[in-house]
Amino acid sequence: MATSTPNDIELAGRLAAGDRAAFEELYRRHNRAMVRLATAIVRSRDTAEDVAQDTWVAVLRNIGGFQGRSSLAAWIFTILSNAARSRAARDGRMVSFDSGGDDADDGLASAFDGRGRWRDLPALWDEVTPERVVAGRSLLDHVNRAIESLPPSQQAVLLLRGQKDLEPADVCATLGISDGAMRVLLHRARLAVRRKLDAVLAECRL
Amino acid sequence: MLSCRGVAERANAMIDGDLGGWEAATMRLHLLLCRGCARFLRQMRATQDMTEAVASEAVTQPEAADARFDALLSELRNGKPSAG
Ligand SMILES: [Zn+2]
């Protein structure tokens, strides 16, 4: 796991002293991703914004106890994911990050024959760029929607793995899952997004 | 010999650079010889690039100023442990 950098310790110290600029820097760096992760868990943008805000309050109250055993980002995202899960539980939904990888079919099995060869040749994805518009939306927007339709555990892994401040081990620690479980979730998530993109692109080839 | 299915199952590990030298070389050989897998890997790379773009786009908030931020700032002032 990435331990804290001198920069983290310094930021935490400034935050504990009530430094506005330190808080603003952290907020700008993480708040959007926090709201997004919380949205995946609580399934409501408004509730997610409440959860993110509560997380910041908890961060400000407890920053004195930050000991740098993990990175500051990992510490904040762990508070957030626990808060979001508690909130979902209060609303009657248990969100487990350990599922959503093992039970679901990865959608690949049917693509191969008994000897493990492609039944149908995968499509040639030509000119696949984020900006390209297909069926009225950019491909990036299609990807965004595909991600939003994934199970919370897969969304959480995809989102956290995209954070520059988090190492893969931080992602496991934040969600309380093993490295193997994280890899399975990431694999399933990317395959699901690929499948949706492939369907969108196939439609425009017709 | 690695099957196409085996290649597809290792595609993400390959993209993330998690394969060992021997396994990565076996993959590269298969990709040179198999059009289907070469296409699949291209699809997965494009998918990975765009998912990462979506995930990291969520990172930086252009400006912090909003009502919630202001509320938090007052928390920062009131709650700071080392007042004074
Ligand atoms: Zn192949």
Side-chain angles (χ1 to χ4, degrees), chain A residues 112 116-118, chain B residues 2-5 7-8 30-31 33-38:
Chain A
F112 300 99
R117 290 180 305 207
W118 295 103
Chain B
L2 204 52
S3 68
C4 296
R5 182 165 187 178
V7 170
H30 184 114
L31 291 168
L33 300 172
C34 176
R35 195 153 57 119
C37 286

Side-chain angles (χ1 to χ4, degrees), chain A residues 36 136-150 155 193 196, chain B residues 54:
Chain A
R36 201 176 163 119
R137 295 182 214 298
S138 71
L139 287 178
L140 199 66
D141 196 16
H142 282 291
V143 168
N144 195 13
R145 283 159 186 261
I147 292 174
E148 283 171 358
S149 70
L150 295 171
Q155 276 192 65
V193 174
K196 296 223 164 155
Chain B
V54 168

Side-chain angles (χ1 to χ4, degrees), chain A residues 167-185:
Chain A
E167 302 283 336
D170 292 327
V171 176
C172 295
T174 297
L175 301 177
I177 59 177
S178 68
D179 185 66
M182 179 190 69
R183 281 168 205 275
V184 170
L185 288 168

Side-chain angles (χ1 to χ4, degrees), chain A residues 35 38-50 91 93:
Chain A
V35 170
T39 305
I41 297 166
V42 301
R43 297 197 192 153
S44 143
R45 172 83 189 203
D46 281 347
T47 310
E49 290 192 350
D50 288 344
D91 295 343
R93 285 185 307 105

